[in-house]
């Protein structure tokens, strides 16, 4: 009975004891030795990055690839050298431990510094506050920046100028123009800290340079410079003006004041100049109320007061909208050297065509010295306009004047056509009142017969037949020989109607 119990205990102890490489296992804890794990076939084996030398699981790095090629292939950045056939880390990468694999065997090719490529976190483990980022590089974790010596890893990033620092990289996290000076973050030369201590602003050396704070401008440009809040540029104060090179602000000088540069005088007085260190008026300029103004040469030249325009006629010229102009009712002459009274009708006296300028298509005739229409135009009925000339009866018109210039007598512009007035007829390029035989007249052309109008005559202010013809009042004809009646009268009436229709066809 005792023998059986001892045998059972020995059997159970054998099952519980740790196993070496090649022995059976059901978990990693059942295998003994550094780097030994339980494989998929439930046999104790070396980790894939190690190889079994017959006694222990050892590093594949620096080993002959004839034995360790498989283990070398799974180590990132390791390869079998072609010359030595040994498993080696790539240049600049060094063998390192991974305690999760082995406590003594190097199984990692570690990066040399922050910024090197990586494929696993263990390659960056020697750099404090770093990680193998999504960019496959050893980068600093959020809130950290590389040390000035990237082989030393990452240091905390600072957020404000003036904080205590160990190196300038901590300060450059605030602004690229910050640096660590006497263990404090400070702005570099020619840079200034902003009011929030969160940025280094560049000192400005020219008026017109961009700015955010007044100190950017005053540091080098002087106390008369400031940062304009509206356009965020360095400007000079109202009482000063930028020097020619833009490096400083100079006081603005009034007339007869001291100056060293032209703009001190011209800033508030365009017509002045700096001459012998004194602001004076330029040549051809005159002093008016302490300012320099150019004497106008022509109407339309700039002005600021009425006296400047007196040379064009004290009573007829004035300064209006900062230009010398003629008063209402007057116009500049052709040379723009004086004002002449404007006229508004054709036939008015003139000496210059500008006087007729209110009348379209007109000019001043040099011989008659009157406003006349240009060639191809005729005066309107009111003589206030010049309109295109028409050729004769029934031509298009817009004003009676066009018709009276082309057709004599009783003509009018009716329905936009030149026509004879009612009860008038057109003959020999004139419109005449239509008179029958025995009606009063003033001209023979007024006497309108049913036919043979040449037989009528205005005699003793009455339409009558010429000698040798007999008047027929009913048919309004002048017949040769004796008076005819009956069918002849009917025929005469038909002729009269026909003749009238022919005449009316002109209208």
């Amino acid at each position: 009975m005792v023998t059986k119990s001892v045998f059972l205990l020995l059997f159970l102890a054998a099952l519980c004891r740790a196993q070496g490489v090649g022995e059976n296992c059901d978990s990693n804890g059942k295998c003994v030795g550094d780097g030994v794990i339980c494989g998929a076939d439930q046999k104790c084996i070396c980790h894939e990055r190690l190889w079994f030398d017959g006694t222990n699981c050892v590093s594949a790095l620096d080993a002959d690839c004839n034995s360790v090629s498989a283990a070398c292939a799974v180590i990132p950045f390791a390869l079998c050298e072609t010359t030595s056939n040994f498993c080696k880390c790539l240049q600049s990468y060094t063998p390192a431990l991974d305690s999760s694999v082995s406590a003594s065997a190097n199984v990692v090719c570690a990066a040399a510094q922050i910024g090197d490529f990586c494929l696993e976190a263990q390659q960056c483990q020697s750099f404090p506050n770093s990680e193998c980022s999504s960019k496959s590089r050893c980068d600093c974790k959020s809130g950290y920046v590389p040390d000035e010596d990237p082989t030393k890893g990452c240091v905390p990033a600072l957020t404000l100028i003036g904080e205590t620092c160990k190196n300038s990289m901590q300060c450059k996290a605030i602004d690229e123009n910050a640096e660590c000076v006497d263990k404090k973050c400070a702005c570099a030369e020619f840079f200034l800290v902003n009011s929030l201590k969160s940025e280094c602003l560049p000192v400005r050396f020219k008026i017109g340079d961009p700015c955010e704070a007044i100190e950017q401008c005053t540091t080098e440009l002087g106390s008369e410079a400031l940062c304009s809040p509206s356009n965020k540029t360095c400007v000079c104060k109202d009482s000063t003006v930028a020097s020619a090179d833009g490096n400083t602000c100079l006081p603005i000088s009034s007339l007869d004041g001291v100056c060293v540069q032209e703009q001190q005088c011209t800033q508030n007085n365009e017509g002045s100049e700096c001459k012998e260190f004194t602001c004076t008026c330029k040549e051809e300029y005159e002093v008016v109320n302490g300012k320099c103004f150019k004497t106008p040469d022509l109407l339309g030249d700039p002005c600021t007061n009425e006296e400047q325009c007196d040379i064009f006629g004290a009573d007829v010229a004035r300064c209006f909208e900062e230009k010398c102009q003629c008063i209402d009712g007057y116009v500049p002459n052709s040379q723009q050297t004086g004002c002449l009274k404007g006229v508004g009708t054709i036939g008015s006296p003139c000496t210059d065509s500008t006087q007729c300028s209110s009348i379209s298509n007109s000019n001043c005739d040099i011989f008659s010295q009157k406003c006349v229409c240009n060639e191809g135009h005729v005066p309107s009925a009111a003589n206030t306009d010049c309109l295109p000339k028409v050729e004769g009866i029934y031509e298009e018109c817009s004003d009676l004047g066009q018709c009276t210039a082309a057709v004599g007598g009783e003509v009018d512009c009716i329905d936009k056509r030149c026509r004879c007035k009612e009860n008038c007829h057109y003959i020999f390029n004139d419109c005449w009142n239509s008179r029958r035989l025995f009606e009063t007249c003033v001209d023979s052309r007024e006497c309108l017969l049913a036919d043979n109008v040449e037989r009528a005559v205005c005699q003793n202010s009455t339409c009558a037949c010429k000698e040798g013809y007999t008047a027929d009042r009913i048919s309004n004809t002048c017949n040769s020989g004796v008076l005819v009646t009956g069918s002849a009268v009917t025929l005469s009436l038909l002729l009269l109607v026909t003749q009238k229709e022919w005449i009316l066809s002109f209208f």
Side-chain angles (χ1 to χ4, degrees), residues 375-436:
E375 186 176 355
H377 293 78
V378 295
S380 64
N383 284 328
T384 57
D385 202 359
C386 290
L387 305 170
K389 182 180 179 181
V390 300
E391 297 301 324
I393 199 73
Y394 210 64
E395 292 286 324
E396 288 188 6
C397 60
S398 60
D399 184 89
L400 173 60
Q402 292 172 282
C403 300
T404 56
V407 181
E410 301 299 317
V411 70
D412 202 351
C413 183
I414 302 172
D415 296 332
K416 297 185 178 180
R417 297 277 181 180
C418 290
R419 308 173 192 268
C420 290
K421 294 179 181 178
E422 189 176 1
N423 297 322
C424 295
H425 61 275
Y426 179 78
I427 187 171
F428 303 128
N429 203 40
D430 283 321
C431 288
W432 295 92
N433 288 313
S434 298
R435 304 300 186 196
R436 293 174 62 85

Side-chain angles (χ1 to χ4, degrees), residues 54-100:
T55 305
N56 297 304
C57 292
V58 296
S59 174
L61 292 172
D62 296 323
D64 191 329
C65 282
N66 290 328
S67 302
V68 300
S69 59
C72 187
V74 297
I75 300 174
F77 295 87
L79 54 75
C80 290
E81 288 186 341
T82 56
T83 55
S84 67
N85 201 35
F86 274 67
C87 182
K88 295 287 187 181
C89 289
L90 295 181
Q91 187 176 5
S92 81
Y93 288 81
T94 56
L97 294 174
D98 180 355
S99 58
S100 65

Side-chain angles (χ1 to χ4, degrees), residues 9 43 49 145 150 199 237 355 425 434 464 498:
L9 290 173
K43 295 283 187 182
R49 297 192 184 191
V145 294
E199 187 179 1
K237 293 180 180 178
Q355 292 177 270
H425 61 275
S434 298
T498 302

Side-chain angles (χ1 to χ4, degrees), residues 175-238:
D175 189 288
E176 63 178 5
N177 295 303
E179 56 188 15
C180 189
V181 180
D182 295 331
K183 297 183 179 181
K184 296 283 184 181
C185 283
C187 291
E189 187 179 9
F190 301 123
F191 285 87
L192 302 168
V193 62
N194 68 357
S195 59
L196 299 177
K197 297 184 178 181
S198 61
E199 187 179 1
C200 290
L201 304 175
V203 172
R204 296 308 185 185
F205 295 89
K206 295 281 186 182
I207 296 297
D209 283 350
C211 61
E212 294 180 29
I214 187 172
E215 293 79 11
Q216 289 179 268
C217 306
T218 56
T219 300
E220 291 294 328
L221 297 173
S223 60
E224 296 302 319
L226 53 84
C227 183
S228 170
S230 58
N231 58 23
K232 297 295 182 182
T233 58
C234 291
V235 297
C236 291
K237 293 180 180 178
D238 289 343

Side-chain angles (χ1 to χ4, degrees), residues 259-325:
C259 60
V260 292
Q261 292 188 5
E262 195 90 341
Q263 61 272 22
Q264 290 179 268
C265 306
T266 58
Q267 180 68 14
N268 289 339
N269 197 347
E270 291 184 6
S272 63
E273 62 182 346
C274 185
K275 192 172 183 179
E276 296 180 354
F277 303 104
T278 303
C279 290
T280 60
C281 286
K282 298 177 182 177
E283 289 186 17
E284 298 183 2
Y285 282 72
E286 58 182 335
V287 180
V288 179
N289 297 326
K291 300 284 186 180
C292 301
F293 297 100
K294 191 177 187 303
T295 303
D297 295 321
L298 301 172
L299 285 164
D301 282 352
C303 61
T304 56
N305 59 78
E306 302 291 339
E307 291 77 12
Q308 288 177 270
C309 306
D310 284 349
I311 60 171
F312 306 114
D315 297 329
V316 295
R318 64 169 179 160
C319 184
F320 180 67
E321 294 181 346
E322 298 184 353
K323 292 181 180 180
C324 286
Q325 301 184 41

